[in-house]
Amino acid sequence: MKGFRNLSQIVTLSGVHKKNGRRPLMEDLHIIEDGAIIFDGEKIIWVGTTSNIPDNYKDVPLTELQGHVLTPEIVDSHTHLIFGGNRAQEYTMRLNGADYQEIAQAGGGILSTMNHTNALHKEELHSLAKERIERIHSYGVGTIEIKSGYGLNIQKEIECAEIIHELKKEFKGHVQIFNTFMPAHAIPSGYESGREYLEKVVYPSIEQIHKKSIIDAVDIFFEEGYFNKSDTETLFEFCKNLNIPLKVHADEFNDNGGASLACHYKALSCDHLLKTGAEGIKSLANSETVATILPGTGFFLGKAQANARQLIDSGAKLSIASDFNPGSCHCDNLLLIASLAGPALKLSLAEIWTGITLNAAHSLGLKDQGAILEGMKPRFSLFKVNQVDEITYNWGRNFAISV
Ligand code: NIG
Ligand code: FE
């Protein structure tokens, strides 16, 4: 057993946990001033104020942490951090007026990163991804979801999933990694339809990778110009038969009914949601499927943001993730994105913290973290500030300390 004492604040989120992440209010953060916590490698044993530490724990070594704030662990539940090359030129083209979809149709976009990714050896991709994980972790993020999806052929997609699996083992006990398989990210040239690519590449690669038991979920880009509704349904049925959890990129450019489809298939999360209308919002509000918004992508592409207010007010479980990738959001700093999202999407501090901790964990099926409560996993983020408000108030500054 070990622990901390005299923490300026412990932001427990116990009220948020009780509400299952829906409609969080400031009082649901349940902040303990001058907090103390005792835990072992598996779970939180006791949490309260320093003056109330029970006598039976008086021999437990406690680190004095005055001037620090402890929160549930920050989770980045949506990244595409395994890729080669960069797309800085596309960003410049967009600043000069070009559109994301136009660039993609002209051979840029995901397919250009596919070429850069396929040009790299496994070791090179591994070391690039490792560097990115370390940087994200330095901001206080302890769990990171990583998607494959820039290989777009059987061999490279499997290689990327294997790299993520190796990194998961390497970072064990340090950073928790969630491995999402996303060969259905774009349709490379040479295939006439999404269906043909699914049949020739996606299903065979899922079958192979599933046998190795190394992936945690499958994702698909359900969007005009990429995969359509029938492709998405067929993939969902295929994964359901193999018992593989689902995630989906939907309603980014159009309201294509992706949110309702995700809820129907009990997907872990439905992500983007820029264009989700009343029906999709209602489905998410009545479901356990987490509504993951990616405000960094809206900022990066200069697009109108998701209707986060209506999602939360309707009762959906809202999460915020970075979407870190070379094209639509080349920003790996989730706390910066969350800080910017506050005023832009009209989110309260309680909604922001719920979105980057408890609901983000739920969007990866991790129900034993996201709140600082006895019995839950001891997964925290620690910051050198006196009050939780300071973290998002200081845009882009890093106060994280390794726990
Ligand atoms: O989530 N939407 C699909 N995938 C990424 C974009 C990837 C890229 O542009 O390279 C996203 O925004
Ligand atoms: Fe994405």
Side-chain angles (χ1 to χ4, degrees):
M1 275 193 280
K2 58 181 176 174
F4 307 137
R5 56 179 292 146
N6 298 108
L7 280 151
S8 297
Q9 293 185 327
I10 300 181
V11 188
T12 67
L13 265 75
S14 63
V16 175
H17 180 260
K18 215 182 248 167
K19 289 175 154 181
N20 192 21
R22 300 184 199 271
R23 299 188 184 92
L25 301 175
M26 286 301 282
E27 59 261 35
D28 299 319
L29 292 179
H30 190 174
I31 297 175
I32 301 173
E33 309 280 341
D34 193 23
I37 183 162
I38 294 163
F39 53 94
D40 61 18
E42 299 292 306
K43 58 181 187 311
I44 297 169
I45 295 167
W46 183 86
V47 58
T49 54
T50 302
S51 57
N52 282 334
I53 301 173
D55 283 347
N56 48 325
Y57 298 130
K58 71 176 183 317
D59 294 332
V60 178
L62 301 180
T63 310
E64 147 78 38
L65 282 174
Q66 207 181 7
H68 293 76
V69 169
L70 192 74
T71 69
E73 182 190 77
I74 298 180
V75 173
D76 194 343
S77 65
H78 184 140
T79 82
H80 305 252
L81 65 72
I82 182 153
F83 61 86
N86 73 64
R87 307 225 300 272
Q89 267 183 336
E90 275 184 22
Y91 185 72
T92 305
M93 282 163 75
R94 278 206 306 278
L95 293 180
N96 289 333
D99 172 80
Y100 180 82
Q101 281 158 293
E102 280 166 22
I103 293 172
Q105 273 148 21
I110 296 173
L111 298 183
S112 113
T113 301
M114 172 192 81
N115 292 330
H116 284 115
T117 304
N118 276 283
L120 295 185
H121 292 297
K122 192 173 183 183
E123 298 68 35
E124 294 171 303
L125 282 170
H126 182 116
S127 93
L128 278 173
K130 187 173 173 187
E131 213 178 286
R132 290 170 187 151
I133 292 167
E134 274 162 359
R135 199 170 51 241
I136 292 172
H137 181 55
S138 76
Y139 308 138
V141 176
T143 295
I144 308 173
E145 185 255 17
I146 309 173
K147 302 175 198 294
S148 76
Y150 291 113
L152 301 180
N153 59 63
I154 296 180
Q155 193 203 338
K156 206 66 178 175
E157 282 296 322
I158 289 181
E159 186 180 294
C160 287
E162 283 170 350
I163 296 171
I164 300 169
H165 186 64
E166 284 162 16
L167 290 163
K168 186 181 197 161
K169 288 191 285 184
E170 261 173 67
F171 279 95
K172 199 170 184 254
H174 183 47
V175 182
Q176 179 171 234
I177 290 173
F178 187 95
N179 192 344
T180 299
F181 197 50
M182 197 176 179
H185 194 195
I187 307 162
S189 56
Y191 299 94
E192 273 183 14
S193 62
R195 186 174 157 186
E196 188 193 348
Y197 173 71
L198 286 175
E199 282 168 1
K200 293 196 171 143
V201 173
V202 177
Y203 301 141
S205 59
I206 293 177
E207 262 166 358
Q208 280 190 44
I209 206 75
H210 182 62
K211 282 195 199 116
K212 297 180 192 248
S213 297
I214 62 173
I215 56 160
D216 299 309
V218 160
D219 198 340
I220 180 167
F221 194 10
F222 171 17
E223 199 61 65
E224 207 176 297
Y226 297 84
F227 297 93
N228 64 26
K229 187 166 182 199
S230 126
D231 297 335
T232 308
E233 281 171 334
T234 330
L235 177 71
F236 281 1
E237 286 295 334
F238 184 87
C239 292
K240 209 169 97 181
N241 290 332
L242 295 172
N243 255 324
I244 304 174
L246 303 168
K247 293 174 90 67
V248 59
H249 283 62
D251 300 349
E252 182 181 1
F253 308 138
N254 307 285
D255 181 359
N256 51 18
S260 301
L261 191 70
C263 297
H264 177 77
Y265 278 93
K266 297 188 168 43
L268 287 172
S269 70
C270 182
D271 305 28
H272 276 300
L273 307 167
L274 296 187
K275 295 286 169 91
T276 306
E279 206 185 307
I281 291 178
K282 195 167 150 209
S283 304
L284 287 162
N286 292 314
S287 135
E288 273 300 298
T289 298
V290 173
T292 298
I293 57 163
L294 310 165
T297 309
F299 294 131
F300 209 77
L301 298 178
K303 297 213 165 169
Q305 295 285 356
N307 195 344
R309 248 322 355 111
Q310 215 184 324
L311 282 161
I312 295 174
D313 294 342
S314 309
K317 296 172 65 155
L318 188 106
S319 164
I320 309 169
S322 73
D323 196 21
F324 174 53
N325 74 74
S328 66
C329 183
H330 199 241
C331 174
D332 60 8
N333 187 337
L334 176 57
L335 268 173
L336 170 63
I337 290 170
S339 300
L340 294 166
L345 282 78
K346 305 199 175 359
L347 298 173
S348 73
L349 193 73
E351 291 161 352
I352 290 173
W353 278 94
T354 302
I356 59 178
T357 59
L358 185 113
N359 282 349
H362 284 193
S363 80
L364 304 179
L366 304 169
K367 296 282 178 96
D368 47 6
Q369 67 179 80
I372 302 185
L373 284 170
E374 286 156 27
M376 294 194 83
K377 276 205 182 155
R379 301 201 70 90
F380 322 116
S381 294
L382 182 66
F383 300 91
K384 199 169 178 341
V385 288
N386 290 306
Q387 292 194 6
V388 66
D389 318 51
E390 294 172 47
I391 302 168
T392 42
Y393 162 67
N394 285 281
W395 285 13
R397 258 178 79 182
N398 186 7
F399 297 102
I401 304 265
S402 193
V403 186

